[in-house]
Amino acid sequence: MSSRENILAAVLKNQPPASPLPDIGFLKGNAVDVVAQYSGVFASIGGNVFLVKDLAAVDALIRENFDATKRIITTLPELGNSFELLSATADPHTFDDVEVAVIEAQLAVAENGAVWLPEQRMGQRIVPYICQHLVVVVAAETIVPTLHEAYGQIGLGQYGFGAFIGGPSKTADIEQALVMGAHGPITMTVLILDQVG
Amino acid sequence: MEKGMKDHAALAEAFINDEERVDWHDGALWWIRQKRDIASKQIPEWEDLRETASRIKNNVLSNLHDYLLQFEANATLNGIKVHWAADAEEHNAIVYSILKDKDIKQMVKSKSMLTEECHLNEYLIERGVDVINSDLGEYIQQLDNEPPSHIVLPCIHKRKEEIGEIFHEHLGTEKGVSDPTTLTRFARRHLRDVFITRRAALTGVNFAVAETGEYVVCTNEGNADMGAHLSEVQIASMGIEKIIPQKAHLGVFLRLLARSATGQPITIYSSHFKKPREGQEMHLILVDLGRSRQLGRVDFRDSLKCIKCGACMNTCPVYRKSGGLSYHNTIAGPIGAILAPNLDMKKHADLPFASTLCGSCSNVCPVKINIHDQLYQWRQVIVREGYAANTKVLGMKAMAWTLSSPTSYSTLGKAGRWVLNNIPFAVNNKFNPWYKQRDMPDGPKESFDVWYAKNNGHDSEKD
Ligand code: SF4
């Protein structure tokens, strides 16, 4: 017998009697003021967060806060006049010199500060990890209270890869001292697009 | 214990000798435990979440056979090549054959306790394949030729000056530099070159979803992703117990994992891998390595619910004061002491005894494993099977006899009190293992029976 069959047979023989799946429908967050909660949590995990009213303001904010002489890439066509539009077919290794990447999230989670980025929104899987500074634009109305509502919206997900990202890359491996930018971005900025406000 | 091998107590002795380090290690881990407490209290339904997670895992264990098949079918449809490995040797051989096929001689690896259990690095190095661990803590441990001492914080036992020294010796940083930010930046530059040049990357797996055939890898550093997204061959190694039924269940586990581990609201990166990147090969190895056997051990099967958060280690008074390396096992601390005897009861017979059975581990466990009960149960199995160290067998036999006989308990109690109060040096000596690292208490003036009778207004017949 192959290992596959051996393992499956041993598992079948040894597994305990049926135990039903619990209902998780009762797990729901509170939807009151998710923007304020998101901003507070994200700042507490070392992220920068700004409320912006439109993409022109995003454009200005990036120029103000980052070194525009270095490589800035984006997946947002509206920012294509100012910054390099990300190529979906380029070799991932060619992004090694990216200073800032500007991408848009599908949604954000108030309780933990994370944004959800399916592969399509990243442009390329490596982009949010390899850049020195990550900027994520998220529409205020897409912020949900907890991961439960987030997975409710993501559903089974039409992506090959997707990630929750909640802050800049960090490590505390050397004597528990928190250091931002272990391998990935040294900073992460979330721009909450609040077109109503 | 194997002959000639040191047990937990002997290994801990070296660690304990450096009292200042013990205090610091103890404090560092307790601080993380406190961060976990604060984070958990911010979630009003925390206890419901733990209960739900525990029940989902019960369901996983009771349907593991079907979930494995469902996962395999869906992952295969997604374009992932699924392999099965019964043991470490088979797992390592699969990894090697994948690399050999592509003529790859260098691989970058992100944190995976399973590959540590399999001793994959040594296996590959023997065959001419160079492996670099990219998690900073693991990288430091690898440079220093030591295994990780904690499943979440691999080099928690090292001081920054020691790490500075390791960097100086192996990476050429200036002597005396020990600032964590400077050292981290140095490693960042160095490891970026590694990520850019490696054609193969291996990651562990935190959760694998049967319903969708995808798997989730959680890191704070982003190292798993840096490796995976730049490689042409991506390999994931997972224990068969990592399966969860549905994607929506990730909401439950991801809310618990980082809060229990370090007090963070979520791990920085929770990456969901479903299909290989265009032009990339993706392999996943399902590894048994004793898990199916543990599933059949009724008293211990719940240990397979573990999501490897490390909370039980951070809270354990024995772990905090003896250091992870004293457990001589990949997974240290309370949960390691349950998992290890399943793999080799003789070699790990000492580990279930490295606990005060205070129950703190069970109280913090996000999936509600009855850790301290299982440690107690392992002790009984180990004594019954004849693997316990002799000192412990004698002590336990004497204790069992005393506890099972009210008269002897009472008589010995009297004798014990007399000895403690009158000739303390008779117990405060090196022949009494309980005296090690402790001062024996002063004996109480009266027995509990006498005290109880007095304070409840009854006359005692006994004593
Ligand atoms: S046994 Fe529980 S507390 Fe310990 S590592 Fe596993 S999940 Fe965490």
Side-chain angles (χ1 to χ4, degrees):
Chain A
M1 276 211 299
S2 71
S3 287
R4 178 181 181 276
E5 280 148 11
N6 279 327
I7 296 168
L8 284 168
V11 167
L12 188 62
K13 183 173 126 245
N14 289 341
Q15 67 190 23
S19 177
L21 262 183
D23 176 23
I24 61 166
F26 74 97
L27 290 163
K28 277 192 193 75
N30 186 348
V32 177
D33 219 353
V34 283
V35 173
Q37 193 193 357
Y38 179 86
S39 306
V41 172
F42 193 64
S44 79
I45 52 182
N48 307 310
V49 59
F50 297 94
L51 278 175
V52 290
K53 76 174 188 317
D54 54 25
L55 286 171
V58 169
D59 194 321
L61 225 135
I62 291 166
R63 288 164 182 286
E64 237 168 74
N65 288 282
F66 299 98
D67 183 353
T69 64
K70 293 189 173 152
R71 190 174 176 199
I72 301 182
I73 59 170
T74 184
T75 52
L76 289 141
E78 297 89 339
L79 302 177
N81 285 334
S82 303
F83 312 118
E84 175 190 335
L85 271 180
L86 196 156
S87 154
T89 52
D91 175 346
H93 296 84
T94 60
F95 295 105
D96 190 29
D97 62 347
V98 168
E99 178 75 0
V100 184
V102 188
I103 52 185
E104 193 177 16
Q106 183 184 326
L107 54 85
V109 182
E111 188 188 82
N112 60 30
V115 295
W116 171 250
L117 294 162
E119 183 171 26
Q120 297 88 327
R121 304 260 179 154
M122 296 175 176
Q124 289 233 13
R125 296 181 186 188
I126 192 64
V127 164
Y129 303 94
I130 203 169
C131 60
Q132 301 297 317
H133 302 277
L134 176 62
V135 178
V136 177
V137 178
V138 64
E141 67 268 19
T142 65
I143 304 180
V144 295
T146 71
L147 279 173
H148 306 300
E149 292 83 5
Y151 278 111
Q153 289 197 19
I154 296 164
L156 296 186
Q158 295 306 309
Y159 55 80
F161 174 77
F164 279 107
I165 300 186
S169 159
K170 57 168 85 156
T171 181
D173 274 337
I174 303 180
E175 268 200 22
Q176 290 306 291
L178 188 63
V179 182
M180 303 291 183
H183 306 284
I186 298 165
T187 70
M188 176 170 169
T189 305
V190 168
L191 305 177
I192 302 176
L193 206 55
D194 196 352
Q195 269 152 340
V196 198
Chain B
M1 291 298 306
E2 265 167 13
K3 238 178 130 186
M5 234 191 85
K6 286 190 168 174
D7 69 358
H8 175 264
L11 289 164
E13 212 161 304
F15 192 79
I16 293 167
N17 273 338
D18 186 347
E19 214 171 297
E20 196 265 336
R21 183 194 294 268
V22 174
D23 289 345
W24 166 77
H25 189 260
D26 180 31
L29 287 156
W30 186 249
W31 180 58
I32 301 164
R33 151 79 210 257
Q34 285 175 313
K35 289 204 290 185
R36 171 254 170 227
D37 289 352
I38 294 165
S40 68
K41 298 218 161 52
Q42 279 162 1
I43 308 282
E45 67 276 29
W46 183 256
E47 288 307 316
D48 286 340
L49 265 182
R50 285 178 74 213
E51 181 61 31
T52 306
S54 179
R55 291 214 206 143
I56 294 170
K57 283 285 183 177
N58 285 341
N59 171 267
V60 169
L61 297 186
S62 72
N63 287 292
L64 192 54
H65 174 267
D66 290 359
Y67 286 145
L68 282 166
L69 286 177
Q70 190 189 358
F71 175 75
E72 181 192 40
N74 285 325
T76 307
L77 274 179
N78 292 337
I80 303 176
K81 293 190 176 142
V82 179
H83 309 258
W84 298 73
D87 53 24
E89 177 70 27
E90 192 172 13
H91 165 267
N92 295 346
I94 292 169
V95 175
Y96 181 60
S97 75
I98 296 168
L99 299 176
K100 207 165 158 227
D101 240 28
K102 298 265 166 188
D103 201 23
I104 295 175
K105 297 238 161 53
Q106 293 177 314
M107 185 173 79
V108 63
K109 208 182 88 180
S110 80
K111 200 147 67 190
S112 150
M113 285 302 117
L114 178 59
T115 60
E116 289 292 321
E117 280 179 60
C118 292
H119 300 288
L120 175 69
N121 290 16
E122 292 91 317
Y123 179 97
L124 291 179
I125 288 163
E126 270 169 31
R127 284 156 186 78
V129 180
D130 175 43
V131 193
I132 290 188
N133 294 344
S134 58
D135 170 88
L136 181 59
E138 282 205 331
Y139 179 61
I140 292 166
Q141 287 306 96
Q142 188 181 18
L143 288 177
D144 201 25
N145 216 358
E146 248 185 12
S149 74
H150 186 290
I151 56 175
V152 176
L153 315 152
C155 66
I156 181 80
H157 61 295
K158 278 190 167 69
R159 307 304 303 256
K160 61 181 194 289
E161 290 76 19
E162 296 170 277
I163 296 169
E165 193 49 45
I166 293 166
F167 273 47
H168 169 66
E169 196 181 309
H170 297 272
L171 305 174
T173 52
E174 235 175 274
K175 198 165 174 62
V177 174
S178 65
D179 171 59
T181 306
T182 313
L183 294 176
T184 303
R185 285 285 173 277
F186 196 87
R188 174 187 172 94
R189 271 200 303 280
H190 189 81
L191 286 165
R192 278 229 161 194
D193 292 341
V194 171
F195 290 126
I196 295 288
T197 52
R198 292 308 191 259
R199 291 167 58 209
L202 186 145
T203 73
V205 170
N206 289 87
F207 306 99
V209 185
E211 177 187 40
T212 57
E214 73 198 289
Y215 60 92
V216 176
V217 182
C218 304
T219 72
N220 278 320
E221 299 182 1
N223 56 316
D225 292 277
M226 283 293 278
H229 305 320
L230 290 170
S231 68
E232 66 182 73
V233 178
Q234 182 182 342
I235 307 171
S237 296
M238 67 173 268
I240 53 172
E241 82 285 10
K242 292 288 171 84
I243 297 265
I244 61 169
Q246 297 161 11
K247 188 148 167 196
H249 296 142
L250 284 169
V252 174
F253 292 104
L254 293 182
R255 284 181 88 193
L256 287 165
L257 178 63
R259 288 185 174 97
S260 300
T262 54
Q264 292 171 254
I266 187 169
T267 321
I268 304 291
Y269 302 102
S270 309
S271 297
H272 300 48
F273 292 91
K274 197 176 196 175
K275 295 175 185 164
R277 197 179 71 237
E278 187 76 12
Q280 189 195 35
E281 251 182 46
M282 199 185 256
H283 296 264
L284 182 136
I285 312 172
L286 286 162
V287 187
D288 183 345
L289 192 59
R291 276 121 176 116
S292 64
R293 181 172 58 231
Q294 188 85 324
L295 190 62
R297 295 189 196 269
V298 180
D299 288 339
F300 306 112
R301 63 164 58 116
D302 267 17
S303 60
L304 297 172
K305 292 155 106 176
C306 176
I307 58 170
K308 305 277 154 65
C309 71
C312 56
M313 301 173 192
N314 303 341
T315 200
C316 176
V318 177
Y319 176 91
R320 283 188 277 121
K321 296 200 171 104
S322 58
L325 296 177
S326 64
Y327 290 78
H328 57 86
N329 183 48
T330 306
I331 317 253
I335 187 66
I338 297 173
L339 296 171
N342 170 55
L343 293 174
D344 187 337
M345 208 184 296
K346 195 170 164 201
K347 189 167 156 207
H348 301 296
D350 56 322
L351 295 185
F353 294 90
S355 169
T356 62
L357 302 184
C358 66
S360 187
C361 46
S362 307
N363 286 333
V364 296
C365 178
V367 288
K368 288 185 132 180
I369 300 171
N370 57 339
I371 306 171
H372 71 295
D373 293 331
Q374 293 192 34
L375 288 169
Y376 179 63
Q377 277 155 343
W378 261 132
R379 291 183 186 188
Q380 298 173 54
V381 173
I382 284 162
V383 169
R384 202 162 56 231
E385 307 275 324
Y387 291 130
N390 274 336
T391 44
K392 284 178 180 134
V393 176
L394 285 174
M396 281 184 62
K397 274 191 185 143
M399 200 187 288
W401 176 75
T402 314
L403 294 178
S404 62
S405 150
T407 333
S408 69
Y409 182 69
S410 164
T411 317
L412 280 171
K414 226 185 256 171
R417 285 188 300 284
W418 188 85
V419 170
L420 280 170
N421 288 322
N422 296 290
I423 35 169
F425 54 86
V427 277
N428 286 356
N429 65 43
K430 65 180 163 49
F431 297 110
N432 177 0
W434 282 101
Y435 176 53
K436 272 195 155 183
Q437 318 304 336
R438 296 175 186 87
D439 272 324
M440 293 306 277
D442 287 338
K445 300 285 171 288
E446 56 194 4
S447 76
F448 176 75
D449 285 345
V450 172
W451 176 89
Y452 184 83
K454 247 193 226 162
N455 287 281
N456 284 277
H458 300 300
D459 280 336
S460 172
E461 299 289 11
K462 297 182 243 158
D463 211 350

